[in-house]
Amino acid sequence: MKPLEGNRVTLLKNGEQFFPALVTAIESARVDVRLETYIFEDDATGNLVAAALSRAARRGVKVRVLIDGLGSRHTPVAFFDAMRAAGATVLVFRPDHKLFSFKRGRLRRVHRKIALIDNRVGFVGGINIIDDLNNSLSDFPRYDYAVQLEGPLLALMYPVVHTLWRWVAWQRFRKEDVGPRPPTLVPPPAGSHLAAFVVRDNFRHRRAIERMYLQAIGTARERVLLMNPYFLPGRHLRRALVTAAARGVRVTILLQGRADHPILQMATRALFGQLLGAGIEIFEYEKSMLHGKVAAVDDQWATVGSSNLDPCSLFLNREANVVVYDTGFARELRGSVESEIASGAVLCRVEHWKQRPLLQRVQSWLAYGFARWVAGVIGFAKQWE
């Protein structure tokens, strides 16, 4: 989508910065709150956000919450019923959460994390409504990012959120919950950031996020920094990274070391030989669970969002990223990631990788083969292989 000028984009690291900003914005709402999230957990953080939403609904704010049926499958119905009792409207995207269905329609999910408040402030990123410490991989909080947005870019976000809300309401036969279309909004300038809102859906923007990455990597001249927890890119992205490294660009990739999906990590490691052999730096984050999906290119381009670089995110899930064309923001993001690399990541060296035990190499290729088989069954193998 076309970049717009006049925005203020604030980088938020981890739930420690994100949740206080989100709750403060909800508490100040007077007209309208819209929230989309993949996971809305019944834990301390989830209850904090739910309480703020309930208070907003009780004082007359129109509160709309859209959750994903798979991501929030463990959250008790009573948790959402309490928000409904306060006056909020809660809808579920595809509540038929069969984990092992290979039907493409059932695999499609709302993986976006978006919040919009009063045409005044918005949030986009990779942080679910879940406590940072709600994981079994580390005593340290999840490592993740979001951005707070103010300015003209909000006008592009409201129609996207409302279109999906309306579709789900009709699917659930909840005509009364559709509500009117949001008015045409012209938020005033709030800062100096040039920024774009990029979404992936199942209709007009199927490859928008992939193209965004390909364009940025393809024009890189000095450095590319990628941070992604579920990294299984197709041939186009792999070729772009290898080609960038070949023309002298420093390419650095930060991945999960502590994996919450070990089979996917094994499949990812099957690609290490090609990437390390091309001179690409790969680090694995060991300090805690890495969940952020961000990138910075040449200190001029940066993105923060919900999209992983794997087949599900790039071809099935509904995703949302913000791209910021600003030197200061790109440097801030790069500096933050590099600080975490220095304090909590391990460099994968090509010579050590070639000496891995045979069993580990076999496991990686079997996992990669399984991933390709799943891609074929679902029907996007040619796009991804």
Side-chain angles (χ1 to χ4, degrees):
M1 294 186 180
K2 183 179 179 180
L4 297 180
E5 297 179 340
N7 302 284
R8 180 186 295 128
V9 186
T10 304
L11 184 66
L12 302 172
K13 180 180 176 181
N14 295 347
E16 181 182 8
Q17 295 181 354
F18 172 68
F19 291 117
L22 175 64
V23 169
T24 297
I26 295 171
E27 296 285 17
S28 66
R30 293 294 176 265
V31 179
D32 179 80
V33 173
R34 299 164 188 253
L35 176 70
E36 284 184 12
T37 187
Y38 181 64
I39 299 173
F40 202 137
E41 189 65 46
D42 181 12
D43 59 14
T45 296
N47 279 276
L48 179 70
V49 176
L53 293 168
S54 295
R55 286 192 293 271
R58 290 191 189 99
R59 64 176 180 267
V61 177
K62 184 63 177 178
V63 176
R64 298 178 177 92
V65 178
L66 179 64
I67 61 169
D68 185 80
L70 178 63
S72 299
R73 67 190 182 279
H74 297 306
T75 306
V77 174
F79 176 82
F80 299 113
D81 284 343
M83 281 190 280
R84 293 184 177 104
T89 306
V90 182
L91 294 182
V92 182
F93 182 87
R94 296 195 185 279
D96 51 332
H97 48 262
K98 294 185 178 180
L99 289 173
F100 298 105
S101 171
F102 289 106
K103 292 183 179 180
R104 186 185 300 187
R106 286 183 176 174
L107 286 174
R108 286 174 177 157
R109 293 293 160 188
V110 173
H111 196 246
R112 307 190 304 213
K113 293 86 178 175
I114 302 174
L116 298 171
I117 294 94
D118 283 357
N119 186 31
R120 178 177 49 82
V121 61
F123 298 87
V124 178
I127 303 177
N128 289 291
I129 310 300
I130 186 172
D131 195 274
D132 272 357
L133 291 173
N134 190 344
N135 73 88
S136 60
L137 298 177
S138 170
D139 293 331
F140 291 94
R142 283 180 179 83
Y143 178 29
D144 211 337
Y145 288 98
V147 292
Q148 178 174 323
L149 297 162
E150 300 160 87
L153 197 63
L154 293 173
L156 303 182
M157 297 170 64
Y158 271 89
V160 170
V161 170
H162 180 73
T163 296
L164 181 57
W165 176 267
R166 183 179 58 181
W167 184 85
V168 174
W170 280 107
Q171 286 285 311
R172 304 268 74 81
F173 302 104
R174 300 287 297 271
K175 181 180 178 181
E176 67 277 12
D177 293 330
V178 173
R181 285 181 174 273
T184 301
L185 306 173
V186 187
S192 59
H193 290 135
L194 177 66
F197 180 58
V198 185
V199 296
R200 195 226 153 262
D201 59 27
N202 296 314
F203 302 101
R204 292 180 300 168
H205 307 291
R206 290 177 181 271
R207 306 183 71 93
I209 290 177
E210 183 187 27
R211 291 189 183 116
M212 168 194 79
Y213 272 99
L214 289 171
Q215 182 178 17
I217 296 168
T219 57
R221 292 294 175 263
E222 296 181 6
R223 67 180 73 202
V224 171
L225 174 62
L226 297 181
M227 167 181 162
N228 218 268
Y230 311 121
F231 182 78
L232 204 61
R235 65 182 185 276
H236 297 299
L237 273 171
R238 296 200 305 270
R239 185 185 303 129
L241 292 169
V242 169
T243 302
R247 64 174 182 267
V249 176
R250 180 182 178 183
V251 180
T252 303
I253 304 173
L254 178 61
L255 304 174
Q256 279 189 343
R258 301 189 180 203
D260 56 337
H261 296 292
I263 293 179
L264 181 58
Q265 184 186 57
M266 291 179 194
T268 297
R269 287 173 171 173
L271 305 176
F272 279 18
Q274 176 194 15
L275 299 175
L276 291 171
I280 294 171
E281 294 179 320
I282 299 177
F283 290 86
E284 291 189 330
Y285 191 69
E286 295 285 353
K287 185 176 179 180
S288 69
M289 176 184 170
L290 183 150
H291 192 258
K293 309 99 166 54
V294 305
V297 176
D298 285 351
D299 284 348
Q300 297 178 354
W301 180 101
T303 186
V304 177
S306 67
S307 182
N308 297 298
L309 297 178
D310 70 347
C312 285
S313 271
L314 292 175
F315 299 115
L316 288 176
N317 291 346
R318 292 177 181 264
E319 306 285 5
N321 277 52
V322 169
V323 180
V324 185
Y325 303 86
D326 181 82
T327 298
F329 183 88
R331 285 178 177 170
E332 180 185 5
L333 177 59
R334 178 174 63 83
S336 181
V337 175
E338 288 180 344
S339 176
E340 290 295 329
I341 289 176
S343 65
V346 175
L347 176 65
C348 300
R349 300 185 182 276
V350 64
E351 59 271 20
H352 295 163
W353 199 251
K354 291 179 178 179
Q355 297 172 4
R356 284 182 304 153
L358 177 61
L359 178 60
Q360 290 184 14
R361 283 180 280 171
V362 170
Q363 287 174 333
S364 288
W365 285 108
L366 286 174
Y368 182 75
F370 176 73
R372 290 193 59 175
W373 174 78
V374 170
V377 170
I378 298 171
F380 53 73
K382 290 185 179 179
Q383 297 173 297
W384 172 68
E385 64 186 4

